[in-house]
Amino acid sequence: MRGWEKNVRKVVPYVPGEQPALENLIKLNTNENPYPPSPKVLEALSRMDGEKLRKYPDPASSRLTRALAERYGVAEDQVFVGVGSDDVLGMAFMTFFNSEKPVLFPDISYSFYPVWADLLRIPYETRKLDENFTIQKEDYLTENGGIVFPNPNAPTGLLMPLSEVEEIVAANPDAVVIVDEAYIDFGGRSAVPLIAGYDNLLVVQTFSKSRSMAGMRIGFALGQAPLIKAMSDIKYSYNSYTMNLPSQVAGVKALEDEEYFQSTLKKVIETREKAKTRLSALGFTFPDSRANFIFAKHKEKPAEEIFQALKERQIFVRHFNQPRIHDYLRITVGTDEEMEALFAFLEEYL
Ligand code: PMP
């Protein structure tokens, strides 16, 4: 061992889904939106004056912050923006999860949570989903150092009713509750309206899924001003220029095109609902997803085999080799044509 190695911070990193550099692949593995961003975004990017890149971007992302405040009906000092919701969540972990008591999150959930907790040396405990993969709200009514869960949950797609989210937030006035709403636009009721009533609620969302901009890296958090101030203090103690200029411009333009946003959502939701019928007919069972993916298990064929067979046909889905969920495939909702290609293959293969 080299001398410096004993001082290296050891981590087990998060493993992102594959981004294969292949042409003509069908990519249903990372919950991206199959439709392009709004034409207004593309136009603004093509018109961008490259000379502006000479200067640092606005460290506060003021125009994007204002646009988000308007869109979500909150004040500007209730908005925090970051480089994708991963950046926002990581910053929130660093800011709010600083207790000796354990942070709580579900055992089957976004696999980045334990990675941040380990990196930042935050004690945590997972709470088991029930046999139907439902989050048990009672599990979050015990003493804790903070709570985080996705709603809808990933990778199950199951939505927690807003009344239960509120019960958890109300029962934990001394801890920050982070609701990770990466997939909320695909059919759930957001907790944003609860912000006014609870000073311990932080709602995190992203432009990566419903706004088709995973490549732009835009995420944001909404919460009462003291929460946002605490996060900003951490941000300015770490990296003040997180959001680059093209992302700030593109984010504003995306918010200006509500009509495009709604029409894209509608298409993804319709395709998801049709996919449920087709998957059932093929012998799959799955929790009733409200996200842009379906977490499905076949009645006979092991998930790993289906995963490999699909991959050979350049159809990428996600398989997690983990206890309790290794029988499942997480299939992102693509276009109707992409889903048709998936079903055509499965009909022949199964
Ligand atoms: N939360 C959940 C539940 C997710 O599935 C993802 C996507 N991997 C993220 C947050 C982060 O997405 P992004 O950083 O692209 O906003």
Side-chain angles (χ1 to χ4, degrees), residues 52 69 80 85 97 181 239 258 340 350:
K52 288 200 172 133
F80 178 92
S85 54
F97 295 165
E181 293 190 338
N239 176 6
E258 183 70 24
E340 220 28 76
L350 291 168

mmCIF file of all heavy atoms in Angstrom, residues 52 69 80 85 97 181 239 258 340 350:
data_model
loop_
_atom_site.group_PDB
_atom_site.id
_atom_site.type_symbol
_atom_site.label_atom_id
_atom_site.label_comp_id
_atom_site.label_asym_id
_atom_site.label_seq_id
_atom_site.Cartn_x
_atom_site.Cartn_y
_atom_site.Cartn_z
ATOM 1 N N LYS A 52 -20.553 34.744 -24.674
ATOM 2 C CA LYS A 52 -20.973 34.884 -23.265
ATOM 3 C C LYS A 52 -20.309 33.854 -22.353
ATOM 4 O O LYS A 52 -20.282 34.014 -21.142
ATOM 5 C CB LYS A 52 -22.494 34.735 -23.154
ATOM 6 C CG LYS A 52 -23.246 35.925 -23.711
ATOM 7 C CD LYS A 52 -24.653 35.959 -23.157
ATOM 8 C CE LYS A 52 -25.341 37.241 -23.538
ATOM 9 N NZ LYS A 52 -26.687 37.012 -24.044
ATOM 10 N N ALA A 69 -40.030 29.796 -9.451
ATOM 11 C CA ALA A 69 -40.905 30.338 -8.407
ATOM 12 C C ALA A 69 -42.282 30.642 -8.999
ATOM 13 O O ALA A 69 -43.320 30.290 -8.421
ATOM 14 C CB ALA A 69 -40.283 31.592 -7.794
ATOM 15 N N PHE A 80 -34.183 26.430 -4.749
ATOM 16 C CA PHE A 80 -32.744 26.147 -4.849
ATOM 17 C C PHE A 80 -32.535 25.374 -6.147
ATOM 18 O O PHE A 80 -33.250 24.408 -6.397
ATOM 19 C CB PHE A 80 -32.301 25.291 -3.651
ATOM 20 C CG PHE A 80 -30.859 24.892 -3.674
ATOM 21 C CD1 PHE A 80 -29.895 25.669 -3.043
ATOM 22 C CD2 PHE A 80 -30.442 23.726 -4.327
ATOM 23 C CE1 PHE A 80 -28.551 25.304 -3.058
ATOM 24 C CE2 PHE A 80 -29.098 23.368 -4.351
ATOM 25 C CZ PHE A 80 -28.157 24.158 -3.710
ATOM 26 N N SER A 85 -31.057 16.672 -10.107
ATOM 27 C CA SER A 85 -31.507 16.511 -8.720
ATOM 28 C C SER A 85 -30.497 15.715 -7.901
ATOM 29 O O SER A 85 -30.494 15.786 -6.682
ATOM 30 C CB SER A 85 -32.922 15.935 -8.640
ATOM 31 O OG SER A 85 -33.037 14.753 -9.348
ATOM 32 N N PHE A 97 -28.649 16.428 7.014
ATOM 33 C CA PHE A 97 -28.492 15.151 7.692
ATOM 34 C C PHE A 97 -27.174 15.156 8.479
ATOM 35 O O PHE A 97 -26.160 14.618 8.046
ATOM 36 C CB PHE A 97 -28.561 13.999 6.692
ATOM 37 C CG PHE A 97 -29.912 13.859 6.007
ATOM 38 C CD1 PHE A 97 -30.059 13.087 4.864
ATOM 39 C CD2 PHE A 97 -31.043 14.506 6.507
ATOM 40 C CE1 PHE A 97 -31.296 12.942 4.232
ATOM 41 C CE2 PHE A 97 -32.289 14.376 5.884
ATOM 42 C CZ PHE A 97 -32.408 13.598 4.741
ATOM 43 N N GLU A 181 -39.238 14.004 -5.801
ATOM 44 C CA GLU A 181 -40.323 13.885 -6.783
ATOM 45 C C GLU A 181 -39.796 13.851 -8.219
ATOM 46 O O GLU A 181 -40.347 14.490 -9.114
ATOM 47 C CB GLU A 181 -41.317 15.039 -6.606
ATOM 48 C CG GLU A 181 -42.067 14.953 -5.281
ATOM 49 C CD GLU A 181 -43.230 15.940 -5.158
ATOM 50 O OE1 GLU A 181 -43.245 16.972 -5.872
ATOM 51 O OE2 GLU A 181 -44.131 15.693 -4.338
ATOM 52 N N ASN A 239 -19.050 24.954 -4.041
ATOM 53 C CA ASN A 239 -18.859 25.312 -5.451
ATOM 54 C C ASN A 239 -19.948 26.319 -5.786
ATOM 55 O O ASN A 239 -21.118 25.963 -5.874
ATOM 56 C CB ASN A 239 -18.984 24.040 -6.303
ATOM 57 C CG ASN A 239 -18.888 24.321 -7.792
ATOM 58 O OD1 ASN A 239 -18.613 25.447 -8.216
ATOM 59 N ND2 ASN A 239 -19.122 23.306 -8.600
ATOM 60 N N GLU A 258 -45.236 25.401 -21.439
ATOM 61 C CA GLU A 258 -46.094 24.512 -20.654
ATOM 62 C C GLU A 258 -46.887 23.563 -21.557
ATOM 63 O O GLU A 258 -47.098 22.395 -21.224
ATOM 64 C CB GLU A 258 -47.042 25.368 -19.797
ATOM 65 C CG GLU A 258 -47.960 24.603 -18.857
ATOM 66 C CD GLU A 258 -47.236 23.932 -17.679
ATOM 67 O OE1 GLU A 258 -46.123 24.389 -17.306
ATOM 68 O OE2 GLU A 258 -47.788 22.957 -17.135
ATOM 69 N N GLU A 340 -43.318 -1.091 -29.076
ATOM 70 C CA GLU A 340 -43.775 -2.115 -30.021
ATOM 71 C C GLU A 340 -42.626 -3.073 -30.331
ATOM 72 O O GLU A 340 -42.809 -4.299 -30.371
ATOM 73 C CB GLU A 340 -44.250 -1.402 -31.299
ATOM 74 C CG GLU A 340 -45.484 -1.952 -31.951
ATOM 75 C CD GLU A 340 -46.482 -2.641 -31.018
ATOM 76 O OE1 GLU A 340 -47.232 -1.981 -30.267
ATOM 77 O OE2 GLU A 340 -46.493 -3.894 -31.057
ATOM 78 N N LEU A 350 -40.569 -15.265 -25.416
ATOM 79 C CA LEU A 350 -41.080 -15.899 -24.175
ATOM 80 C C LEU A 350 -41.857 -17.187 -24.468
ATOM 81 O O LEU A 350 -42.453 -17.333 -25.486
ATOM 82 C CB LEU A 350 -41.964 -14.905 -23.411
ATOM 83 C CG LEU A 350 -41.214 -13.715 -22.787
ATOM 84 C CD1 LEU A 350 -42.192 -12.651 -22.326
ATOM 85 C CD2 LEU A 350 -40.354 -14.159 -21.600
#
